[in-house]
């Protein structure tokens, strides 16, 4: 099996590459070489996926049994189109890492792969789309929907779309789980979002990588797959898993959403993974499970991420890291209000 990974040096892309090499596959990676370090054993090709001439040069190194695209999250649809069109004749399949945000009903509704997606053209630029007043839909969702359309126009039923919600695990660059782990390690009274029994569905990056590789190898793979933990865990279980992993002596204080909103706590970022919309953690992953998605217990994800951080784990620098986590002074005011 010979695959091309767009990206391949950090987080999901790196886990994809490492998993492919363990399977004995031949792996080519394509990136600019500015972020992360190449995995030993790959054929590393330097280039810019937004430059047609460099994509044509890449295509001459083919063919591949599959392309796995892990590096399009910041790209407008027309740039996704450039790469998929350039490689459509030298790759048998394209596995595209998309997002649950492409659904028009996210995060308000329970979602399946048959749920309607946002409308966005394949040639849209970075200005296309908008973010609603309540945070949905998102401009990001429109952009990713257009990216899916671009890939489909090039590959048709040879395209596979993976639509994860939240991906956590060793190497995370966004900062959601690392923030909770570091906060748990600090100890003390911890502002935690009620209700404590609400279930969340993040998935481990290693399980997403494994599923992506399975779809790359499956000759009949096609269409979209929601990627969410089929069992998940409650927020209470999540917070206590962070405390257990770090050995922190903290005590969660479960704060009602009305109190958090009164203190203008930004959902999704200031208390990472917290959002009040009914459908945010109501994603049906049954199709993926039937196709072979296997998710390890999230407690293991939490513990392994802390072990990575303690072993000098350093995520690539990314601006989204700074968005996550509540200021300790603001947290103290909230805790004082609920004493």
């Amino acid at each position: 099996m010979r695959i091309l990974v767009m990206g391949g040096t950090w987080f999901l892309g790196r886990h994809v590459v490492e998993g492919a090499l363990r399977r004995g596959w031949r792996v080519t990676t394509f990136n600019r070489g500015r972020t992360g370090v190449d995995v030993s054993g790959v054929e590393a090709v330097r280039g810019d996926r937004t430059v047609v001439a460099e994509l044509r040069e890449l295509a001459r190194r083919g063919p591949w049994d599959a392309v796995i695209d892990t590096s399009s999250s910041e790209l407008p649809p027309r740039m996704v189109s450039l790469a998929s069109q350039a490689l459509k004749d030298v790759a048998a399949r394209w596995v595209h890492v998309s997002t649950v945000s492409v659904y028009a009903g996210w995060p308000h509704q329970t979602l399946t792969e048959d749920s309607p997606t946002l409308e966005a053209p394949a040639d849209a630029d970075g200005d296309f789309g908008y973010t609603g007043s309540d945070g949905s839909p998102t401009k990001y969702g429109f952009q990713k929907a257009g990216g899916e359309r671009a890939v489909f126009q090039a590959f048709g039923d040879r395209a596979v779309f993976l639509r994860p919600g939240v991906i956590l695990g060793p190497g995370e660059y966004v900062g959601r789980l690392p923030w909770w782990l570091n906060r748990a390690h600090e100890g003390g009274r911890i502002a935690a979002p009620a209700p404590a029994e609400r279930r969340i569905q993040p998935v481990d990056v290693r399980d997403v990588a494994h599923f992506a590789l399975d779809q790359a190898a499956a000759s009949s793979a096609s269409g979209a797959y929601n990627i969410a933990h089929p069992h998940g865990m409650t927020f209470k279980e999540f917070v206590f898993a962070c405390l257990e992993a770090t050995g922190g002596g903290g005590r969660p204080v479960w704060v009602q959403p009305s109190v958090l909103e009164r203190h203008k706590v930004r959902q999704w970022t200031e208390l990472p993974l917290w959002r009040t919309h009914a459908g945010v953690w109501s994603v049906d992953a049954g199709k993926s499970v039937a196709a072979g998605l296997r998710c390890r217990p999230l407690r293991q994800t939490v513990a392994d991420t802390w072990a990575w951080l303690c072993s000098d784990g350093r995520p690539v620098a990314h601006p989204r890291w700074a968005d996550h986590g509540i200021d300790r002074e603001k947290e103290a005011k909230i805790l004082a209000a609920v004493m």
Side-chain angles (χ1 to χ4, degrees):
M1 185 82 177
R2 187 176 185 221
I3 67 168
L4 167 65
V5 179
M6 306 293 279
T9 61
W10 46 289
F11 201 41
L12 177 57
R14 190 173 191 86
H15 284 288
V16 165
V17 169
E18 291 173 344
L21 292 173
R22 285 194 295 270
R23 298 185 185 206
W25 295 2
R26 294 174 58 194
V27 181
T28 302
T29 59
F30 183 68
N31 55 65
R32 294 176 298 176
R34 299 177 183 175
T35 307
V37 179
D38 295 314
V39 178
S40 177
V42 306
E43 176 193 15
V45 180
R46 294 286 178 257
D48 188 333
R49 61 178 293 166
T50 68
V51 178
V52 173
E54 296 183 19
L55 287 169
R56 288 174 179 166
E57 180 60 31
L58 172 65
R60 282 193 275 271
R61 295 174 179 265
W64 294 277
D65 297 297
V67 175
I68 302 180
D69 187 1
T70 66
S71 68
S72 66
S73 62
E74 309 295 332
L75 295 176
R78 64 185 182 86
M79 293 302 179
V80 177
S81 182
L82 284 182
S84 56
Q85 290 292 336
L87 299 171
K88 66 180 181 181
D89 295 327
V90 293
R93 175 165 287 97
W94 184 289
V95 179
H96 190 72
V97 180
S98 184
T99 171
V100 73
S101 297
V102 300
Y103 289 111
W106 190 85
H108 301 282
Q109 303 169 6
T110 298
L111 300 172
T112 72
E113 290 83 357
D114 294 326
S115 300
T117 57
L118 298 168
E119 291 293 330
D123 60 352
D125 63 19
D127 293 328
F128 186 87
Y130 64 92
T131 297
S133 59
D134 70 341
S136 64
T138 62
K139 184 176 180 180
Y140 173 71
F142 281 104
Q143 292 280 308
K144 294 294 281 185
E148 285 194 10
R149 179 165 291 186
V151 171
F152 185 78
Q153 286 185 357
F155 279 81
D157 61 7
R158 297 183 293 136
V160 178
F161 302 101
L162 307 185
R163 295 172 177 166
V166 173
I167 303 176
L168 304 177
E172 185 196 335
Y173 63 93
V174 176
R176 296 183 177 106
L177 178 51
W179 183 84
W180 276 107
L181 285 164
N182 287 322
R183 181 64 190 87
H185 185 247
E186 290 176 16
R189 298 171 75 232
I190 301 171
E197 299 305 320
R198 187 174 192 189
R199 301 198 74 80
I200 59 177
Q201 294 179 282
V203 289
D204 191 293
V205 62
R206 295 163 292 186
D207 299 330
V208 180
H210 187 87
F211 187 73
L213 292 168
D214 285 350
Q215 298 313 300
S219 60
S220 61
S222 181
Y225 294 89
N226 291 338
I227 310 297
H229 202 293
H231 308 297
M233 68 194 316
T234 66
F235 224 110
K236 180 179 180 179
E237 291 170 334
F238 172 74
V239 172
F240 276 97
C242 291
L243 289 166
E244 179 181 355
T246 63
R251 178 173 68 86
V253 177
W254 298 99
V255 184
Q256 292 300 320
S258 59
V259 177
L260 296 174
E261 290 168 357
R262 189 164 66 247
H263 283 82
K264 295 182 169 43
V265 176
R266 294 192 308 276
Q267 296 193 35
W268 211 231
T269 54
E270 283 195 286
L271 287 180
L273 306 181
W274 169 63
R275 198 164 182 176
T276 57
H277 300 78
V280 67
W281 298 115
S282 185
V283 179
D284 184 349
K287 180 181 176 183
S288 296
V289 171
L293 175 66
R294 297 294 178 266
C295 292
R296 70 198 68 201
L298 285 166
R299 185 178 298 275
Q300 181 182 342
T301 303
V302 171
D304 291 350
T305 302
W306 181 244
W308 165 70
L309 289 169
C310 290
S311 63
D312 201 28
R314 296 182 180 179
V316 298
H318 197 281
R320 292 178 68 187
W321 187 279
D323 293 337
H324 290 83
I326 191 169
D327 178 79
R328 290 300 298 275
E329 183 177 343
K330 185 173 183 177
E331 182 189 27
K333 291 180 180 178
I334 294 170
L335 291 170
V338 297
M339 287 185 64

